[in-house]
Amino acid sequence: GRVFRNGRPLEVFLEGLRSRGRRQMRLRTGLLRALRDVAQRSVALVPVALSYELLPEDESFYNELKGLPRPPLTTSGFVSWVIRGFVGELPCYGDVRLRLGGVRVLDAASDLRSLLSEVQNELVELTSLTSLHLRALAEILDLPPAAVIEAARQAGLPSHA
C-alpha cells in the first residue's frame, strides 16, 4: 500500500504459469485484486510486450517437439548458466523487441476478468515475430521461408524479418 500512497510505479508480471509451447496462458487476477484493494485509488495499467528472438531453452524445446525427452532441470545447470552470464560467456540470443500497449485504468469498480481479457488480447497483438520464428514455421509447414515471411508481411503481422 505504501508504494501507491507515495505515487511510486510498480512493475508486475501477470502471466502466472508459463507455457512450454510458447502459447499465451490466462493472466492471473490475484495480484491485481490485491492492488485494487490496497491502492484505494485508480491505478494505470500499461501492457508491455517483450518479444525475444531466441531463448536459451529453444534447442531443448525443439528436441521435445521432435519427440526426444526433455532433459531434467538441475540447480547446478542453472547456477552454471548464471555464472556464464555474469562473466559474459553466454551466446547472443538475438534481438529483443519491446512494445507498449494502451493505458487501462484499474479502480474499485473494475471487472478484473474483462480488464485482463483486454490486456491479454492486446499483448497478443503487440507480440512481434522474428525471422527465426517465421523460418521455423516454414520448416514445419514444409514451405520456402521467403514465402512464409512474405505472407506474414502481407497479412500485416508485426514481424521483424
Side-chain angles (χ1 to χ4, degrees):
R2 184 175 52 207
V3 170
F4 289 107
R5 283 190 291 278
N6 293 335
R8 305 287 312 254
L10 178 66
E11 175 184 346
V12 295
F13 297 88
L14 302 173
E15 294 97 341
L17 299 174
R18 303 294 288 170
S19 165
R20 190 74 174 138
R22 308 292 190 264
R23 64 188 159 93
Q24 291 276 338
M25 303 291 284
R26 184 176 57 84
L27 299 176
R28 304 297 185 183
T29 61
L31 181 61
L32 287 184
R33 187 173 290 120
L35 290 175
R36 179 187 61 192
D37 296 343
V38 170
Q40 300 174 349
R41 64 185 173 113
S42 296
V43 176
L45 300 177
V46 180
V48 177
L50 293 171
S51 302
Y52 300 90
E53 190 169 29
L54 297 173
L55 296 175
E57 72 273 6
D58 272 353
E59 183 178 354
S60 67
F61 179 62
Y62 180 72
N63 287 336
E64 283 180 56
L65 291 176
K66 293 192 308 185
L68 300 173
R70 179 180 178 187
L73 301 174
T74 64
T75 302
S76 62
F78 172 71
V79 170
S80 172
W81 183 80
V82 169
I83 291 170
R84 288 176 49 218
F86 278 128
V87 298
E89 294 179 356
L90 290 178
C92 175
Y93 290 111
D95 294 333
V96 175
R97 307 278 184 218
L98 182 134
R99 297 179 72 198
L100 301 176
V103 176
R104 305 289 195 297
V105 175
L106 172 69
D107 58 24
S110 294
D111 174 4
L112 288 180
R113 296 217 182 269
S114 175
L115 181 66
L116 285 179
S117 178
E118 289 176 23
V119 168
Q120 183 147 27
N121 288 338
E122 186 169 24
L123 287 172
V124 168
E125 291 172 9
L126 292 171
T127 300
S128 295
L129 298 172
T130 67
S131 59
L132 173 80
H133 299 117
L134 296 172
R135 286 193 312 268
L137 178 60
E139 184 177 323
I140 290 168
L141 298 174
D142 196 27
L143 294 171
V148 172
I149 290 170
E150 182 57 29
R153 282 192 181 128
Q154 288 180 2
L157 295 175
S159 66
H160 298 278

